Amino acid sequence: MILSVETLAWRYPGGQGVGPLSFALAQGEAALLLGPSGSGKTTLMNLMAGLRTPQQGRVLLDGRSMGALPAPARDVLRRETLGLIFQTLRLVSALGVRANLALARQLAGLPADAAFADSLLARLNLSHRADALPRTLSQGEAQRAAIARALVTRPRLLVADEPTSALDAANATTVAALLKESAADNGAALLVITHDDRLAAHFHRAIRLGADGLLADAA
């Protein structure tokens, strides 16, 4: 399994948070994790990425426990294995869209691949905005740029937090297809964390998170 979540839990003092819950993703598998606002989806993403330490349970990424690793080793594992698309997009404001993609590859220790970057921008209808600074992008354009940045490193596990929240139906369909196709092309697992039920039609597996942060249903 590329990702194993084992009795994982993190709760605020008032009880809000996520878990305990367990699920796993095999290499090459694609799944949705669906839950309403406030169900702990972003907290779960941060736990899986090693950006927050579990209060209970553990996350195994490619067989290694994220919580058991020192911070530098956790950073390396995350950089080499994960492609993260955050709800807060985190584009580098001083760089154009294409330069953001180039920087992502550089930080991952990968050689430049301008042709692949340009192909992603074309697929996401961003070729005409390749040199635009993030502050000049619409919210939908910025979200698509963040998706391209995550894909440009060809990650083994792609995790997306609400990747279609600012998109209309046509672009949401395009993004769902691109995420699935890119993951499949690279033999990667894909987990889309979202409240967007429109995406359910594009995935065979949906893991459902209830408002209490517990698994309500898994198929």
Side-chain angles (χ1 to χ4, degrees):
M1 294 291 176
I2 186 65
L3 175 68
S4 295
V5 173
E6 301 179 350
T7 60
L8 185 69
W10 196 97
R11 295 279 174 176
Y12 291 98
Q16 189 176 15
V18 67
L21 50 82
S22 301
F23 63 89
L25 282 180
Q27 192 71 48
E29 186 177 9
L32 284 181
L33 195 144
L34 284 165
S37 297
S39 59
K41 298 188 302 297
T42 298
T43 298
L44 177 58
M45 178 176 176
N46 289 333
L47 289 165
M48 290 189 298
L51 300 173
R52 178 167 283 173
T53 302
Q55 295 169 343
Q56 176 184 326
R58 63 178 184 167
V59 174
L60 298 177
L61 182 60
D62 201 19
R64 302 178 68 187
S65 175
M66 291 290 278
L69 294 174
R74 194 162 59 241
D75 291 343
V76 170
L77 181 59
R78 184 188 307 115
R79 185 172 64 242
E80 292 180 346
T81 309
L82 280 176
L84 297 172
I85 304 168
F86 294 96
Q87 193 169 359
T88 302
L89 301 178
R90 304 185 186 184
L91 295 166
V92 178
S93 60
L95 299 177
V97 173
R98 185 186 284 114
N100 265 275
L101 270 60
L103 178 62
R105 286 191 63 86
Q106 181 182 346
L107 292 175
L110 298 171
D113 192 341
F116 181 51
D118 284 344
S119 72
L120 285 174
L121 295 179
R123 287 285 310 280
L124 284 166
N125 299 317
L126 283 173
S127 295
H128 65 298
R129 303 293 275 156
D131 297 320
L133 295 176
R135 67 174 180 271
T136 70
L137 302 176
S138 70
Q139 179 62 27
E141 288 172 340
Q143 196 160 34
R144 283 179 276 148
I147 291 166
R149 182 187 57 186
L151 292 171
V152 79
T153 61
R154 301 180 189 269
R156 294 181 61 207
L157 171 61
L158 183 62
V159 179
D161 185 16
E162 301 287 7
T164 60
S165 62
L167 304 181
D168 59 25
N171 277 316
T173 296
T174 296
V175 165
L178 179 61
L179 290 172
K180 289 179 63 181
E181 289 168 13
S182 178
D185 287 348
N186 292 282
L190 169 64
L191 183 66
V192 176
I193 302 173
T194 186
H195 72 276
D196 189 352
D197 284 321
R198 296 178 301 177
L199 298 184
H202 301 284
F203 289 81
H204 294 298
R205 183 184 179 195
I207 303 164
R208 296 188 180 273
L209 196 64
D212 56 2
L214 300 173
L215 290 183
D217 173 60

